């Protein structure tokens, strides 16, 4: 089932991946919990009716408002990085105007691929090496359908022991 996941996944993964990569000394090795709250008000309008019916039958939300919580075991290599990763599944999107200082990372996202066209912005603030929070916004089209995405996200360090979490 294809649900315009290209830029949505890029946005959500970017929102989670940037803080996980921890710009130099903004992080600790160990288990992190990351929560992303996303709003896509136009989501239902861009999903084919048969896919929308299957989603509803499976009990999936089609409101366009979702909250995801994941855990990640941050490695020493990730903590030592001084640049953010490239968004996964970028579908013709690239980061511009990248800026970071002691506590804040900002970047614009410009998309001009066949799956998505538009602009986005991300901002992350590191309160300490055990917590970050930020926002992500995108406005444009995905697979020919108008789309606006807004996300807020936060991460917190849980412990040095990751247990079975990778």
């Amino acid at each position: 089932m294809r649900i315009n996941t290209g830029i949505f996944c890029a946005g959500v993964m970017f929102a989670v991946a940037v803080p996980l990569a921890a710009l130099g000394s903004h992080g600790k090795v160990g288990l992190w919990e990351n929560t992303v709250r996303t709003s896509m008000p136009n989501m239902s309008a861009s999903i084919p009716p048969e896919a929308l019916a299957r989603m509803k039958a499976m009990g999936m939300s089609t409101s366009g408002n979702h909250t995801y919580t994941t855990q990640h075991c941050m490695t020493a290599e990730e903590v030592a990085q001084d640049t953010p990763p490239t968004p996964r599944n970028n579908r013709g999107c690239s980061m511009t105007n990248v800026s970071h200082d002691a506590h804040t990372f900002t970047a614009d996202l410009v998309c001009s691929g066949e799956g998505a066209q538009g602009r986005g912005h991300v901002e992350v603030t590191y309160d300490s090496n055990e917590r970050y929070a930020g926002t992500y916004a995108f406005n444009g089209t995905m697979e020919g359908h108008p789309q606006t995405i807004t996300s807020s996200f936060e991460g917190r360090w849980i412990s040095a022991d990751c247990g079975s979490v990778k």
Side-chain angles (χ1 to χ4, degrees):
M1 170 173 32
R2 190 169 178 185
I3 310 173
N4 296 327
T5 56
I7 193 70
F8 175 71
C9 289
V12 172
M13 289 298 107
F14 182 78
V16 173
V18 166
L20 287 178
L23 297 171
S25 80
H26 291 106
K28 291 175 76 169
V29 172
L31 185 61
W32 282 76
E33 182 175 84
N34 309 286
T35 300
V36 179
R37 290 167 204 77
T38 302
S39 173
M40 293 178 58
N42 301 337
M43 185 175 106
S44 294
S46 60
I47 299 174
E50 63 277 1
L52 196 58
R54 282 195 307 264
M55 289 174 66
K56 287 180 180 178
M58 293 169 41
M60 295 174 68
S61 170
T62 58
S63 71
N65 297 313
H66 302 278
T67 299
Y68 304 92
T69 299
T70 61
Q71 290 186 336
H72 173 78
C73 186
M74 189 184 295
T75 66
E77 292 79 24
E78 288 173 315
V79 172
Q81 288 180 0
D82 193 35
T83 58
T86 301
R88 293 182 222 159
N89 301 322
N90 65 12
R91 309 251 320 214
C93 299
S94 60
M95 285 189 287
T96 64
N97 301 320
V98 175
S99 172
H100 61 86
D101 61 26
H103 298 285
T104 305
F105 167 86
T106 62
D108 293 325
L109 190 65
V110 177
C111 301
S112 58
E114 65 183 64
Q117 296 83 37
R119 296 183 149 308
H121 183 78
V122 65
E123 186 165 327
V124 184
T125 300
Y126 298 89
D127 298 339
S128 69
N129 65 349
E130 295 184 359
R131 187 181 179 290
Y132 66 83
T135 59
Y136 168 80
F138 173 84
N139 191 22
T141 61
M142 292 189 307
E143 297 175 11
H145 300 282
Q147 193 60 258
T148 299
I149 303 169
T150 58
S151 294
S152 63
F153 51 90
E154 60 188 67
R156 65 183 181 95
W157 183 80
I158 296 175
S159 75
D161 181 10
C162 292
S164 63
V165 175
K166 292 185 178 198

